[in-house]
Amino acid sequence: MNDWSKEDIMAIFDNKKSAVLYFYTPLCGTCQVAGRMMDVVEQLIRDISFGKTDLNYMPEIAEQFSIESVPCLLVVKEGHISEKIYAFKSVPYLYDLIKRYI
């Protein structure tokens, strides 16, 4: 997954695009596991953009999207948040969740 800036993230919403946004912090052990799972899911789903962002550098994004903790995954369809999850249960779970909305 590529690191996305605030501008990259806002462009998804402004242009009414679909994407998967993964929010993390580098010192979070759960985020490291979730990030590896997301790397696998990204390889399985090629028809949507995936991006990641270190939430330490984007407190305004955390506030805007009411992100309560990390890891956090936002599934965005046509510029609207379809799903927000904090529990990255498994690769099959994430795959099915994302495919349901795209």
Side-chain angles (χ1 to χ4, degrees):
M1 274 182 294
N2 292 323
D3 287 304
W4 284 4
S5 66
K6 179 181 178 183
E7 292 76 23
D8 296 330
I9 294 167
M10 296 316 299
I12 296 295
F13 292 93
D14 294 342
N15 298 321
K16 302 200 181 320
K17 294 190 175 188
S18 297
V20 176
L21 306 172
Y22 168 61
F23 298 95
Y24 71 98
T25 59
L27 297 178
C28 165
T30 305
C31 295
Q32 292 174 13
V33 173
R36 287 193 292 276
M37 291 180 359
M38 289 306 304
D39 287 338
V40 172
V41 173
E42 181 183 27
Q43 296 302 313
L44 297 171
I45 302 175
R46 297 287 188 164
D47 49 350
I48 192 168
S49 297
F50 283 74
K52 65 180 180 177
T53 299
D54 181 344
L55 212 53
N56 286 327
Y57 298 110
M58 307 240 183
E60 65 281 354
I61 293 287
E63 184 176 333
Q64 181 175 354
F65 297 125
S66 301
I67 297 173
E68 299 169 4
S69 65
V70 290
C72 179
L73 185 72
L74 298 182
V75 180
V76 180
K77 182 170 184 175
E78 298 171 356
H80 299 284
I81 297 172
S82 298
E83 187 72 34
K84 181 193 307 184
I85 67 158
Y86 298 102
F88 291 60
K89 299 175 183 180
S90 67
V91 169
Y93 170 78
L94 293 169
Y95 176 86
D96 290 342
L97 178 96
I98 293 167
K99 289 298 272 187
R100 185 178 331 138
Y101 290 105
I102 59 167

